[in-house]
Amino acid sequence: MNVQRQLDNTLLDIIRKQIQASPRYGTREDETVRPCITFREYMSLCLYHPEGGYYRSGKARVGREGDFYTSAYIGDIMGEVLAERLVRLADERFPDGGPVEAVDWGGGTGRLSAQMLNAWLRLGEEGARFRITVVDGDPEHRRQAEELLAEHIEAGRARVISTEHAEEQAWQERQVAVIANELLDAFPVHRIVRRGGRIWEWGVCWDERRQALSPCLTEPSDFRLEEWLNKQNILLAEGQTTEIGLDGAEWTARLGTMLGDAILIFIDYGDSTAELTGSHRMDGTLLCYEDHRAHDDPYRSPGRQDLTAHVDFDLIRSYALRAGWRELAYATQKRFLVESGVLTKLATHEFTDPFHPVVRRNRSIRQLLLSDGMSELFKVQIWVK
């Protein structure tokens, strides 16, 4: 039995035992009542359990050898634009000068950080005040980030730390800019559904006969779930499922207590509560990614596939404002890039080689702006505190 299969079996056994020991009960489609955990608990185990969790074991999860790409893998443009925008933001927010620690939270293998560091080096004195800290919970991601950023680390311009180490840092004593690129969508979410005219929460139970995981309905585990829908005047249609990302919103608020003078930039796919609960979204937005293929079965490969849902930026905004953040900007990725001057980076040329650096750079800009509507789906939200 190979290592990955052992991890799969270990995680499945952990999930099964947690379900069987749970005080919560859920009702399956066949009307049988069984012990269960909430889908949010299940998603957390699948992604973050230290023994077999998707982001805690195995190979790197992003890039060609992983299961998905981020904008940092479309040329160097996103990192370059972010670096230049951060220089302007730092001049506005930290006018007295002094070093700025840019924290790439959930920075993966360090690719975006490398792009920003290289851009700051090209800017010379303007970029000299910036240092990078890559924060990631995946040991393999940290190893690859340390390898990629080795020269910067040796020069004192970068470091790579775990999520646990980051939580212990004295951030309030520093001028900090946090960049969270596709981080919020990696937080576990609650899944709720309207059935029989009332709100239920999706749970996960264990089917002993099939020796498999199975969905069920259970009482809502948190009063804030229905409270949020009521606050937004949302009435789900009968049979409609939606996700509510309390974990990501709470992390945003907690970040406000951890930081002193700070800038926060979110880049992620998502929308407003009204859009995410529209009648065209009867099954919510949850998707699974494995080997660069998307599907909608979250029980197929626990620990071996990414589970993700669109970010509700209204929910993030609600928690951020209460935590003392002030919103500077909210726009589509396309608008953010254009307003940040990305079009000035396009170059006229007569090269016919599609792999020429100038041609590839132009293609990267076009892809970030136009690719299959993703530039409209992705949003950029900038906060200061």
Side-chain angles (χ1 to χ4, degrees):
M1 182 180 293
N2 63 34
V3 173
Q4 183 60 61
R5 182 58 60 188
Q6 287 176 335
L7 290 172
D8 296 347
N9 290 344
T10 298
L11 182 60
L12 190 60
D13 192 49
I14 289 168
I15 294 170
R16 177 182 62 81
K17 289 178 178 177
Q18 189 147 330
I19 290 172
Q20 292 172 338
S22 174
R24 176 175 291 275
Y25 282 84
T27 305
R28 299 200 322 149
E29 291 291 341
D30 60 7
E31 298 188 352
T32 59
V33 177
R34 308 228 176 136
C36 74
I37 57 176
T38 65
F39 184 86
R40 182 248 161 232
E41 292 172 294
Y42 169 73
M43 185 172 175
S44 181
L45 290 169
C46 287
L47 297 181
Y48 297 108
H49 194 278
E51 298 178 56
Y54 181 80
Y55 284 115
R56 291 294 183 268
S57 61
K59 64 180 183 179
R61 301 305 185 176
V62 63
R64 183 176 299 176
E65 303 303 320
D67 298 305
F68 57 89
Y69 289 103
T70 68
S71 56
Y73 283 79
I74 305 174
D76 296 332
I77 295 299
M78 182 57 80
E80 187 176 313
V81 169
L82 278 171
E84 293 169 358
R85 186 64 175 266
L86 279 169
V87 167
R88 295 194 292 274
L89 284 169
D91 287 344
E92 296 167 5
R93 300 301 307 169
F94 313 133
D96 294 337
V100 177
E101 185 162 1
V103 184
D104 187 0
W105 208 299
T109 59
R111 192 178 180 99
L112 183 68
S113 289
Q115 294 169 5
M116 290 191 288
L117 282 164
N118 291 335
W120 285 324
L121 286 176
R122 288 193 296 271
L123 288 171
E125 187 175 338
E126 285 183 283
R129 65 190 296 200
F130 288 89
R131 301 291 183 272
I132 277 277
T133 294
V134 177
V135 178
D136 204 275
D138 189 318
E140 178 60 19
H141 283 177
R142 293 199 301 273
R143 185 194 67 78
Q144 292 195 26
E146 287 173 346
E147 187 176 287
L148 178 64
L149 301 173
E151 289 187 18
H152 294 293
I153 292 172
E154 187 175 350
R157 292 187 295 266
R159 62 174 177 159
V160 179
I161 62 176
S162 68
T163 306
E164 293 75 17
H165 189 187
E167 298 279 354
E168 300 168 353
Q169 296 289 296
W171 298 113
Q172 290 186 336
E173 301 170 5
R174 313 170 203 171
Q175 296 180 146
V176 176
V178 174
I179 304 95
N181 182 35
E182 295 191 50
L183 173 67
L184 291 176
D185 67 82
F187 281 94
V189 295
H190 296 265
R191 301 195 83 208
I192 61 173
V193 62
R194 188 174 185 84
R195 287 278 181 91
R198 58 160 293 187
I199 293 297
W200 297 89
E201 184 166 3
W202 282 109
V204 181
C205 61
W206 179 256
D207 187 326
E208 195 65 41
R209 182 180 62 81
R210 293 173 51 241
Q211 290 290 292
L213 298 163
S214 176
C216 62
L217 296 180
T218 186
E219 292 288 338
S221 61
D222 195 313
F223 73 91
R224 293 175 297 173
L225 300 173
E226 195 163 2
E227 181 183 72
W228 175 247
L229 294 182
N230 293 335
K231 182 178 179 181
Q232 296 297 102
N233 296 314
I234 300 297
L235 179 63
L236 297 178
E238 179 67 19
Q240 183 178 10
T241 290
T242 194
E243 297 85 20
I244 299 182
L246 294 179
D247 285 48
E250 288 175 336
W251 178 81
T252 304
R254 189 167 71 253
L255 201 62
T257 66
M258 292 168 55
L259 303 177
D261 294 336
I263 299 163
L264 173 59
I265 301 179
F266 288 134
I267 306 169
D268 228 311
Y269 45 90
D271 221 303
S272 66
T273 309
E275 165 61 25
L276 296 178
T277 55
S279 59
H280 60 293
R281 293 192 184 276
M282 288 297 293
D283 296 319
T285 65
L286 186 84
L287 277 178
C288 315
Y289 290 91
E290 186 176 5
D291 296 329
H292 294 283
R293 290 189 294 271
H295 65 87
D296 60 0
D297 182 2
Y299 311 111
R300 190 169 84 183
S301 306
R304 284 195 292 122
Q305 62 184 5
D306 189 22
L307 307 179
T308 179
H310 287 18
V311 176
D312 183 339
F313 283 102
D314 284 338
L315 182 62
I316 297 298
R317 181 177 293 111
S318 174
Y319 275 68
L321 290 172
R322 290 204 302 268
W325 290 103
R326 180 167 64 86
E327 191 171 16
L328 276 190
Y330 175 67
T332 64
Q333 177 178 286
K334 180 178 181 179
R335 180 179 166 189
F336 168 78
L337 289 169
V338 170
E339 290 181 350
S340 297
V342 74
L343 294 179
T344 65
K345 299 180 183 297
L346 287 167
T348 57
H349 65 84
E350 297 179 356
F351 303 113
T352 57
D353 178 4
F355 299 105
H356 188 282
V358 173
V359 180
R360 292 179 65 180
R361 182 175 172 84
N362 281 357
R363 188 164 59 243
S364 296
I365 294 172
R366 184 171 65 250
Q367 189 173 350
L368 283 172
L369 291 174
L370 303 175
S371 59
D372 299 328
M374 293 299 286
S375 62
E376 299 288 343
L377 176 60
F378 271 76
K379 307 298 189 299
V380 180
Q381 197 172 35
I382 303 177
W383 299 88
V384 294
K385 178 180 173 292

